[in-house]
Amino acid sequence: MPRWTHKLSLDDCTKFLVLIGQRVLNKELIENGNIPVYSANVFEPFGYVNKLLIQDFSVDSVLWGIDGDWLVSFMPKDNPFYPTDHCGVLRCKTDQVNPRYLAHLLESEGKKMGFSRNYRASIDRVKGITFSVPDITEQNKVVAEVREIEVKIADAEKQLKALQGKTAEILNKYLR
């Protein structure tokens, strides 16, 4: 299987875009805002606003937390979000790298580098990551397999939540 190496770098702007967001203060958050704000926890919004920092959401994004535990998430295209200064954004400008594959790769490489609260995943450190990927067909196969598992996990989590609710319901009925 052919392999090639790319260095994630702002200098390699033909293949990748790497950026961080801007600070958002609590007083700027809007209770019924439309745009989720992501900070170091790239899985759960910090809050909501009605403004955008990034204007184009026609491509997928990979988010990583800069100041906390090493967290990486995938944000599908057409999902506007606002990254804070504790959230990095990585986008592919090449069709030779599957962004979902890149998210998993970035997570793995960050763990190898020891990114953590004490060793921050700054934009310069992330830009310094060099990685190899198989051809796009192989990446797409891997991503398809991972998606199947993620769907099963999501279904299992829904079932678990429903069962926990039923458990609470039964206990409340008899403990009254």
Side-chain angles (χ1 to χ4, degrees):
M1 153 175 27
R3 295 188 76 77
W4 39 276
T5 302
H6 286 287
K7 182 177 176 88
L8 300 181
S9 172
L10 285 175
D11 294 336
D12 192 359
C13 61
T14 62
K15 292 191 170 69
F16 302 101
L17 171 66
V18 183
L19 58 99
I20 61 170
Q22 290 184 354
R23 180 167 295 204
V24 174
L25 303 174
N26 282 335
K27 66 182 181 182
E28 296 176 273
L29 299 176
I30 300 170
E31 188 172 328
N32 295 318
N34 297 320
I35 308 298
V37 178
Y38 288 90
S39 195
N41 178 346
V42 294
F43 292 105
E44 295 293 327
F46 168 68
Y48 293 85
V49 294
N50 284 333
K51 62 182 178 178
L52 291 172
L53 177 64
I54 300 168
Q55 300 303 314
D56 180 11
F57 292 93
S58 64
V59 296
D60 299 326
S61 298
V62 177
L63 307 182
W64 82 88
I66 294 174
D67 286 331
D69 297 330
W70 177 237
L71 299 175
V72 177
S73 72
F74 174 80
M75 184 68 67
K77 68 180 182 177
D78 300 325
N79 285 292
F81 62 91
Y82 193 104
T84 71
D85 56 335
H86 299 279
C87 178
V89 179
L90 171 61
R91 289 180 164 181
C92 293
K93 292 182 171 184
T94 175
D95 59 1
Q96 295 173 318
V97 179
N98 181 310
R100 276 191 187 258
Y101 187 92
L102 182 59
H104 293 290
L105 189 94
L106 181 63
E107 181 178 17
S108 176
E109 290 299 314
K111 285 179 183 175
K112 287 179 194 173
M113 294 180 71
F115 289 154
S116 66
R117 291 179 183 274
N118 297 327
Y119 186 65
R120 295 180 56 214
S122 68
I123 195 167
D124 290 332
R125 288 179 179 146
V126 169
K127 286 189 311 182
I129 294 175
T130 300
F131 62 93
S132 297
V133 292
D135 66 49
I136 191 67
T137 304
E138 281 300 310
Q139 292 175 57
N140 291 341
K141 284 179 188 176
V142 169
V143 167
E145 287 180 40
V146 169
R147 278 189 187 158
E148 285 180 27
I149 293 169
E150 289 172 342
V151 167
K152 289 177 182 177
I153 290 170
D155 288 344
E157 287 174 343
K158 285 179 190 174
Q159 289 177 351
L160 180 61
K161 197 173 209 174
L163 290 172
Q164 288 170 337
K166 287 185 181 201
T167 300
E169 186 179 304
I170 291 168
L171 288 172
N172 286 338
K173 180 179 173 182
Y174 289 103
L175 294 176
R176 287 186 181 169

